[in-house]
Amino acid sequence: MSNHAFHLEEDDLIQYALGTLKDTQLTQFTAHISLCNVCRGRLAQYRTDLAVFGAVQPPSSLPDGARERFLARLNNPAPSPSALEKIRTRSRAYLFSKAFRHWMDTPAPLLILSGALAIALTFVGYDDLSHIHQLRQMQPEINRFERESSKFQELEDFLRGTNAQDATLRRGINTNKEPEGHVLYSAVNGRLVFTATNMPGPPPGKTYELWVLPANGGNPIPAGTFTPDLQGSAAIVFPEIPANVQASSFGVTVEDQGGSNTPTLPIYMSGQ
Amino acid sequence: MDDAELLEAVARKDESAMAALFDRYSGLVYSIALRVLREPELAEDVMQEVLLQVWRQPGGFLSQKGSLGSWLAVVSRNRAIDVIRRRARLTPLEEMVLPEPRNLQRTIEDSRMMDRVREAVETLPEEQQSSLHMAYFDGLTHIEISERTGAPLGTVKTRIRSALATVRKALQV
Ligand SMILES: [Zn+2]
């Protein structure tokens, strides 16, 4: 969509494509790109330019025996510990805590966005092929949103707004690997955005379902089903729920595929 | 055989097809990793990982018909930079959410176009080359490049922008 007040600068898009932005900028720009088809298109073009630039670099001759070492690994599922592996192992603990800190420091609307992005942008890293299939399954939902671009504007306004109810759904003690859900909800117009992280896959044939629990004690209102991606991320954007329902809390249950009209206990996670 | 045919054979676990893909692309993948890492041992590890990924999950590459080289270049560069970032304790690229490179699918089937881009890249002005190299291979920010070279930030931005504009123009001819 193009009805944005501003677009990203060329140089920022280039740095975005290169992956050289600092965390704060990265989050801000990611938010814009997730909502702006124009900048997404420009970014894709820069990625192509850079990919091609890489592909025309002159090849180097391999170290002696590299071909044999590679072919020997084709049928050897357990790789010998390489220098690379050692670096990875050493740094793992740090990356963990860094991701956690980043999560804690990010203001809520941006958190929501970066979560929704896992779906909106459909691709986690160029080289993470294991995710492609799973993420593509979510594409129809996003396409629906892109077609209804007025809704995109509405989503952006909603995420910027401050009068929405803000709930964090947790399961037990919150460490950074615990499942966690986040709801932004505006009762006046029945608008809701939900994102979740660290969710395990549901049991076979089952799905997760989000519920709004009305403050007046009425029946729980279904607010959409979701299946997390391989990284445990999921999002529900603007499910169909009636307006003017004050919520006392929100909950997630495990239901049969396709969802249910009444929640099945136990509540998997909840928050208010 | 073209890349797509080789990938289909790799999907059937045909080792000779994988060896053929190795011969076609290992030099490129290794070269990019080496320019980033500057250590042959690490670069070989990255090259092995990238190409083993083709062996294990050729389906993911099959849909990228016609652009396997570009794709592998991106993967190699990102993996190699991640090795450096892990050492420096910076956010690795793999953790960053990147949009789908849909346009890669449209890139360069024919080698003439690649040759045109190669020639354009080789004849870039020296200062454009070096700025883009510092961003691409060393993963430096525009500001870091400016600090390192003493060139004003605006100049660095212009150089990199111009270099990429040249690449794009060569693609679009
Ligand atoms: Zn924009």
Side-chain angles (χ1 to χ4, degrees):
Chain A
M1 72 197 246
S2 55
N3 52 338
H4 282 263
F6 69 96
H7 289 294
L8 297 190
E9 304 271 343
E10 297 298 323
D11 309 301
D12 291 331
L13 279 169
I14 291 172
Q15 293 213 81
Y16 198 102
L18 281 161
T20 57
L21 287 172
K22 299 300 180 198
D23 283 351
T24 43
Q25 285 177 309
L26 183 68
T27 314
Q28 279 172 16
F29 294 163
T30 298
H32 177 87
I33 288 163
S34 74
L35 295 166
C36 177
N37 289 343
V38 173
C39 288
R40 244 188 347 263
R42 292 160 72 211
L43 178 65
Q45 186 63 58
Y46 276 121
R47 281 186 199 294
T48 302
D49 300 340
L50 285 165
V52 172
F53 170 77
V56 300
Q57 297 304 309
S60 306
S61 51
L62 301 178
D64 285 345
R67 191 177 195 273
E68 291 69 29
R69 284 192 289 279
F70 175 78
L71 294 176
R73 281 188 66 184
L74 288 188
N75 293 307
N76 178 8
S80 55
S82 61
L84 206 57
E85 290 298 323
K86 281 177 232 148
I87 288 172
R88 284 222 168 129
T89 317
R90 265 208 312 273
S91 58
R92 189 162 292 146
Y94 169 77
L95 294 173
F96 220 64
S97 60
K98 159 118 188 180
F100 185 42
R101 259 193 292 117
H102 188 52
W103 170 265
M104 299 296 287
D105 292 343
T106 312
L110 290 181
L111 270 188
I112 295 273
L113 265 181
S114 56
L117 220 65
I119 297 176
L121 298 188
T122 70
F123 204 91
V124 184
Y126 273 107
D127 48 347
D128 207 349
L129 295 169
S130 59
H131 289 71
I132 297 177
H133 179 68
Q134 187 104 9
L135 290 170
R136 279 201 181 133
Q137 293 175 338
M138 299 181 178
Q139 191 62 39
E141 177 71 5
I142 297 312
N143 289 344
R144 186 174 67 81
F145 255 85
E146 292 200 6
R147 277 198 304 276
E148 304 166 30
S149 63
S150 64
K151 273 201 174 173
F152 248 114
Q153 185 62 57
E154 200 182 332
L155 174 61
E156 194 173 36
D157 295 344
F158 180 72
L159 295 170
R160 277 215 192 103
T162 49
N163 53 359
Q165 189 173 347
D166 193 345
T168 301
L169 282 59
R170 290 204 176 108
R171 198 163 198 253
I173 302 154
N174 178 40
T175 68
N176 68 333
K177 276 300 173 191
E178 282 292 320
E180 181 168 313
H182 199 96
V183 172
L184 260 191
Y185 177 63
S186 169
V188 182
N189 52 14
R191 286 303 189 209
L192 182 151
V193 171
F194 169 80
T195 57
T197 50
N198 301 324
M199 297 289 293
K206 301 284 186 180
T207 183
Y208 291 107
E209 188 159 9
L210 176 69
W211 303 91
V212 177
L213 306 177
N216 66 8
N219 291 332
I221 297 166
T225 60
F226 64 93
T227 303
D229 65 21
L230 293 178
Q231 290 187 320
S233 303
I236 299 174
V237 180
F238 291 176
E240 301 227 341
I241 42 181
N244 292 311
V245 176
Q246 296 300 320
S248 65
S249 60
F250 305 87
V252 169
T253 59
V254 176
E255 304 292 343
D256 286 336
Q257 204 63 256
S260 164
N261 286 322
T262 53
T264 306
L265 297 177
I267 292 178
Y268 179 79
M269 63 183 183
S270 61
Q272 54 189 4
Chain B
M1 281 204 272
D2 68 17
D3 289 351
E5 289 165 332
L6 284 175
L7 281 170
E8 275 162 26
V10 166
R12 298 189 301 268
K13 292 291 162 205
D14 179 337
E15 289 187 23
S16 65
M18 189 63 230
L21 277 181
F22 181 94
D23 293 337
R24 196 170 290 177
Y25 290 114
S26 60
L28 171 68
V29 172
Y30 175 74
S31 146
I32 289 175
L34 184 63
R35 291 178 79 167
V36 172
L37 293 163
R38 303 201 178 104
E39 288 179 41
E41 193 198 352
L42 283 177
E44 185 181 337
D45 282 342
V46 167
M47 181 267 287
Q48 282 206 7
E49 279 211 3
V50 171
L51 291 170
L52 278 172
Q53 195 175 328
V54 178
W55 173 245
R56 289 175 189 143
Q57 297 171 304
F61 291 92
L62 265 173
S63 59
Q64 300 302 315
K65 190 178 168 188
S67 59
L68 187 58
S70 308
W71 186 274
L72 290 173
V74 171
V75 177
S76 179
R77 184 257 179 183
N78 287 359
R79 282 276 164 89
I81 284 187
D82 280 354
V83 172
I84 289 177
R85 291 191 177 190
R86 288 193 167 99
R87 276 173 170 171
R89 318 210 146 181
L90 295 169
T91 307
L93 280 179
E94 281 181 358
E95 283 192 0
M96 295 180 184
V97 179
L98 303 174
E100 183 172 16
R102 228 174 258 153
N103 285 6
L104 279 185
Q105 293 177 14
R106 283 199 277 115
T107 356
I108 15 221
E109 305 271 334
D110 68 303
S111 58
R112 275 180 315 160
M113 186 184 280
M114 265 325 212
D115 289 343
R116 242 181 2 245
V117 174
R118 188 173 291 114
E119 198 187 321
V121 166
E122 279 165 6
T123 52
L124 282 173
E126 173 57 32
E127 63 280 3
Q128 286 186 23
Q129 287 249 17
S130 72
S131 294
L132 185 52
H133 280 204
M134 290 169 98
Y136 187 89
F137 292 111
D138 301 327
L140 296 180
T141 66
H142 288 6
I143 291 173
E144 286 165 341
I145 295 170
S146 161
E147 287 166 357
R148 210 167 274 204
T149 58
L153 179 59
T155 305
V156 170
K157 287 179 175 177
T158 307
R159 284 173 182 168
I160 291 176
R161 224 173 33 228
S162 308
L164 289 178
T166 304
V167 171
R168 188 175 301 181
K169 199 161 154 244
L171 270 176
Q172 286 167 347
V173 170

